[in-house]
Amino acid sequence: MTDDIRRNMALFPIGIVMKLTDLTARQIRYYEQHELIIPARTSGNQRLYSFNDVERLLEIKDLIEKGVNIAGIKQVLLPVSKDSEEATVLNEHSEVKRKEMTESQLHKMLKQQLFGGGNRPGQVSLIQGELSRFYQ
DNA sequence: GTTCTGACA
DNA sequence: TGTCAGAA
């Protein structure tokens, strides 16, 4: 996949990204502060975004429009690959494991609803309801 | 002309 | 989030 290097190659300044994503510079920088995206910098401290960064911003924008806040977006966008020691130590004892199972399922459901096809009227509540209640 | 950081009606 | 200041 030498195509990845192209997508991860920092190319455009924030001005272009603004037009590409319809987000304001303020928002883009704000999301960066919350580590939703980590653009590269020029020697002059100018932000340089890659195609991947732009796609990521589009996903973020999508979630924002669906009423998800920063905390919620982090849960959905940031790699959730961190069940290392916990799963090993307490793998047969109920509570913790059961909770992770639930969160894992919730996470899956969220991704499906958020990125999968579309939402049927009346079923969108899970996002604005559950999610915002958990990560508000 | 653009972008950056910090701050605030 | 918008917007302004002051500097790069």
Side-chain angles (χ1 to χ4, degrees):
Chain A
M1 285 206 167
T2 66
D3 193 58
D4 274 24
I5 92 169
R6 267 176 246 208
R7 298 190 172 186
N8 286 309
M9 183 141 46
L11 297 172
F12 16 75
I14 200 167
I16 302 299
V17 180
M18 287 177 67
K19 295 179 180 179
L20 260 38
T21 64
D22 278 301
L23 289 171
T24 65
R26 178 74 169 78
Q27 290 177 297
I28 298 174
R29 292 173 188 138
Y30 179 72
Y31 302 149
E32 181 183 346
Q33 292 192 317
H34 289 270
E35 301 175 280
L36 264 37
I37 34 93
I38 310 168
R41 296 281 184 146
T42 65
S43 52
N45 201 38
Q46 299 270 117
R47 271 168 263 248
L48 284 187
Y49 300 83
S50 66
F51 282 88
N52 278 172
D53 292 329
V54 175
E55 286 184 13
R56 199 180 179 70
L57 281 170
L58 287 174
E59 291 186 328
I60 295 171
K61 186 200 173 195
D62 233 83
L63 296 177
I64 290 294
E65 295 178 330
K66 299 200 177 205
V68 181
N69 53 236
I70 300 296
I73 294 178
K74 284 184 182 176
Q75 297 304 309
V76 183
L77 248 40
L78 297 180
V80 188
S81 58
K82 60 136 186 177
D83 7 39
S84 51
E85 50 185 313
E86 279 189 62
T88 306
V89 182
L90 347 124
N91 78 58
E92 71 170 311
H93 293 315
S94 56
E95 277 198 81
V96 176
K97 184 176 184 180
R98 222 182 61 196
K99 185 190 176 191
E100 293 187 354
M101 272 285 285
T102 304
E103 288 188 17
S104 164
Q105 293 177 353
L106 174 62
H107 187 262
K108 185 178 180 182
M109 290 178 70
L110 287 171
K111 277 193 149 179
Q112 287 180 188
Q113 288 185 41
L114 262 26
F115 301 122
N119 296 311
R120 286 168 301 182
Q123 189 207 323
V124 195
S125 57
L126 197 164
I127 299 171
Q128 306 186 316
E130 305 293 301
L131 192 63
S132 60
R133 193 177 306 157
F134 288 157
Y135 310 119
Q136 199 172 167

